[in-house]
Amino acid sequence: MEKTADPTVSAARYARRRALPRRLPVLTTLCGLLLLAGCAGDAPSALNPGGAGATRVAGLWWLLFWISVAVFAEVMALLVWALVFRRGNARVRHGQPLRFVTIAGAGLPFVILVAVYGVGLRDLAALGDGPGPDAPTVEVTGHKWWWEVRYQGASGATANEIHIPVGERVKVRLRTDDVLHSFWVPQLMPKTDLIAGETRETWLRAERAGSYRGQCAEYCGTQHAHMAFLVVAQPRTDFDAWLARLDAPAREPRTDAERRGQQAFVQGTCAACHAVRGTGAAGRVGPDLSNVGSRWSLGAGAVPNDAGHLGGWIANTQTVKPGNAMPPQPVDAAQLPDLIAYLRSLE
Amino acid sequence: MSTTTTPPPGVSEQDLARLAEHWGERPSLRGWFSTVDHKKIGRRYLVTAGFFFVLAGLSALVMRTQLARPEAGVVSPQEYNQLFSMHGTAMIFLFATPMLFGFGNFLVPLMIGARDMAFPRLNAFGYWVFLFAGLFMWASLPFGAAPNNGWFAYVPLSGEQHNPGLHMDVYALGLLFLGISTTAASINFIVTALKLRAPGMSLNRVPLFVWAIVATAFMVIFALPALNVDNAMLFLDRRFGTHFFDPSGGGNVLLWQHLFWIFGHPDVYIIVMPALGIVSAVLPAFTRRGVVGYPLIVLSIVSIAIISFGVWVHHMFATGLPQLSYSFFSAASTIITIPSGIQIFAWLATMLLGRLVLRVPLLYVIGFVVTFVLGGFTGAMFALTAFDQQVTDSYFVVAHFHYVLIGGAVFPMLAGIYYWLPKITGRMYHERLGRWAFWLVFAGMHVTFFPMHLYGLFGMPRRVYTYRSEPGWDGWNLVSTVGSYLLAVGLLLVLVGVVHALRRGRPAPPDPWEGDSLEWATASPPEPYNFPVLPRVHSLHPAWDERTAESVRAGATADRILSDGRRTLVTSELDAHPERAVQMPESTLMPLVLAGALLVFFTSMLFAWYPVAAVAALAVAATIAVWLWPSRRPDEELGVSG
């Protein structure tokens, strides 16, 4: 407990408190290191861009980052100066350095902000500079909680996976079937919201082949966490081949198990909600499953796409992704392996 | 606990006894419920807001525990969504604003040398409504019926079709109910600060904290109607099938967002501005000099209040509005950082010229500068549309606004708690305990929220109850969770410190810090009548001004003691020239009764008991009629001296 109410404390205690100014620079250095260390890793990082839009924004970020570091250093220097030299016996000065406050607090920031605003405006214009009318167009519809993907000029559909040709600007037309969602591929393009009752447009351009993770960024309810997708950038010929397969009927079953699985699928409850091209199943409520075997995940990024997870998913999706629209299925144990075999064969 | 006041020269024992009789309440249960004393109401605001802060903080700890590792099952998605919604809603509406209004309630009359707020009964009413509305909302959580759509409640997800049940009805009705309290308090602050200032406290001598509170009150009055209209429309859409937000019926989903952010962005400043006022109030005592650039800071407060109404679209940069509107709102959002910059440099200049006394309140001010400046940088980044589109709705934005709100509001509040604790309770706090708490809070805050910048940039969206491990977000999330526990321990130590002060704290003298404003010129805690002699102000720092002390000694004439009733002085708006003495209302149960009737009304609306709601509405009207029935003595014109 304090002994006196007098806020001036003894010289010895002041000396001990000198530790503070030495601690502050350590703290800031640490923060900087954390930031740099973070650039590595396998995250779908906006700082590791793979496409034109995200590259622009990453450039803007580094500009802003270094300006912030410089200004922060200035503020910290003033603070440390005050802590080191303005304690103990420091004589209080009663001036009103209005010029200092105006220049450091308003003048300099104004100049910096106007310049940065100019750069920001240029980058905004660049992001708005979409592809021409002949560009390939993919139509993406947001659902609670998955992405329906269709291509203009193609009849087939897929889900949670968007294929694009490398090095080309692809137009993305965004709609939502229910609530708001937001389309975000950090390594390729900033967000565009999907607005109920309206259509929005954005575009993607990947500079190198590969897979880029995207995710819904606007809170959309119970399973907002599991509404991821993948953008697969591939050479033009591979893309064309992929797109051609999207129009063709799904692969026919080859084994007896697959055939039994197909029969169970088409005649059972599955077909009420799901479609498989070239069969009687034409449901539009859930994702089109014509190429489900080749997809990177189940449940829009909820679990890996392998036989075990698929079985669990069919039996009861609610344990995997609680709240999604697919009720637990009354599949009998004998049918389940056949269904798994059939769905795994759809590539 | 109150220190006995020895009468100042010129004031007789009888004067003091009469003042105590007019202003005090009987220490009974009825007295407790009927008090209209601004100091008690201020304390209640602080304690109640602190209680809601603990609840919202515990929600956050559960969330951080769930997010400590990928695919954890601590809570279900439905529970998590209610937790983050209640966390945000409560922190903004039930903690930040009421806490600062609590400071305002306790301090504004003391700082301007008045005996109470302008409308003491309205003040008590505001508190009861705040308490009831807060309980109304929190009560839904144990039943699993709490708001589950974020504090922003975007349609269509918050509409009846996608969100059946009571969740969003609780939200809409709760905020409408609470809005009554916030509006009442704001009107009261404005009138109090304009009409009840001590003689001589012209506008250029008003303490910066009071300026901040008044500007905030104006912002509330202009911003809150947008939120109220939004919630009224949401409730009508949900309950009565209107189509304000339903595109299939000709409505528009973006209408919700526009109205919400027309309120929501000024609200950020509604929270931060009084906190900045606390910084300006705390600094003089610990730098031994007045804050540099008083006129610049006032200018900055007023310009923030105005510009904050022109920036709401920067919350909607990803909705696909036309680029031209983006560039306008981007410019406004960029430029609003400048007034804050002016204040930061004014405080730095104050510290560079003064003599620093490094007690706990100053530690928090320094922690505030470091943290708020970092939050300011990311704020300026968000003003640039292209960058905003990349990081909005990611954890980067979570990092940003926690830097602004914890750094910019909670740190100043903590500075204020330690600074004014002796005045509020009459007890000194424990310095070493306070320091431990500070370092834990400071470190915990940065360990929790700094990594969020990183995993936000690495693509982790916010408002997710879980995540997969492949994207590589798990390590940083664990760091955040550890930090949140540090922060919680620090805040717990703050609470321990307050309890310790109340139980064991050394009795505080009237002015332990040599503060510069008028609250230090009276007892700790102040007597119910605040000042035996209403002071006369001669400068910006009245408590440092020998002439003010002199005026209390020499000028103790009847027109400044006003001991013949529950009375205070009314002065002119600009120059604070004495106009008349007004009779202030007595303690009454009416505020509690009216707030109770409103609680019945909103509860019966929630459960769709419309006949009960109709009866409650009638009761509300009847209570107001009884309350406002003319019964006051006419005011007395004063031939005031000097």
Side-chain angles (χ1 to χ4, degrees), chain B residues 83-99:
Chain B
L83 284 174
F84 90 72
S85 304
M86 275 312 282
H87 171 75
T89 310
M91 282 296 189
I92 296 280
F93 293 105
L94 300 177
F95 160 65
T97 316
M99 190 79 176

Side-chain angles (χ1 to χ4, degrees), chain B residues 31-217:
Chain B
W32 197 90
F33 281 113
S34 66
T35 184
V36 296
D37 181 345
H38 75 96
K39 297 179 290 299
K40 290 188 181 158
I41 292 165
R43 280 205 300 261
R44 287 176 194 180
Y45 263 107
L46 294 176
V47 171
T48 311
F51 171 68
F52 291 144
F53 177 72
V54 170
L55 292 184
L58 289 176
S59 317
L61 277 187
V62 177
M63 289 192 281
R64 279 306 336 160
T65 309
Q66 160 77 8
L67 293 176
R69 56 204 170 85
E71 299 182 79
V74 178
V75 287
S76 72
Q78 288 88 350
E79 286 163 349
Y80 184 89
N81 293 339
Q82 291 183 36
L83 284 174
F84 90 72
S85 304
M86 275 312 282
H87 171 75
T89 310
M91 282 296 189
I92 296 280
F93 293 105
L94 300 177
F95 160 65
T97 316
M99 190 79 176
L100 291 159
F101 276 21
F103 278 110
N105 252 306
F106 189 91
L107 290 168
V108 166
L110 286 169
M111 279 189 169
I112 63 173
R115 287 204 165 129
D116 206 329
M117 298 283 284
F119 307 116
R121 296 182 299 181
L122 189 66
N123 206 24
F125 169 66
Y127 168 74
W128 292 118
V129 168
F130 158 54
L131 175 69
F132 291 165
L135 294 176
F136 176 88
M137 285 202 259
W138 274 112
S140 63
L141 192 61
F143 299 100
N148 58 356
N149 203 12
W151 83 287
F152 51 96
Y154 278 6
V155 292
L157 188 57
S158 57
E160 216 270 331
Q161 187 198 346
H162 295 286
N163 202 336
L166 291 180
H167 308 275
M168 297 316 292
D169 296 323
V170 171
Y171 174 91
L173 291 172
L175 291 191
L176 283 169
F177 189 13
L178 183 69
I180 298 172
S181 160
T182 323
T183 308
S186 299
I187 292 170
N188 215 346
F189 281 130
I190 293 171
V191 178
T192 306
L194 285 181
K195 292 306 293 178
L196 297 190
R197 300 200 307 276
M201 187 180 276
S202 47
L203 273 193
N204 57 344
R205 291 175 185 161
V206 173
L208 288 167
F209 177 76
V210 179
W211 267 109
I213 287 279
V214 170
T216 304

Side-chain angles (χ1 to χ4, degrees), chain A residues 38 86 93 117 191 193 200, chain B residues 289 319 356 390 392 458:
Chain A
R86 302 304 303 171
R93 294 196 247 164
Y117 174 70
K191 294 172 200 75
D193 289 354
R200 293 287 188 258
Chain B
R289 56 155 294 148
T319 54
L356 299 194
Q390 182 66 295
T392 184
F458 298 164

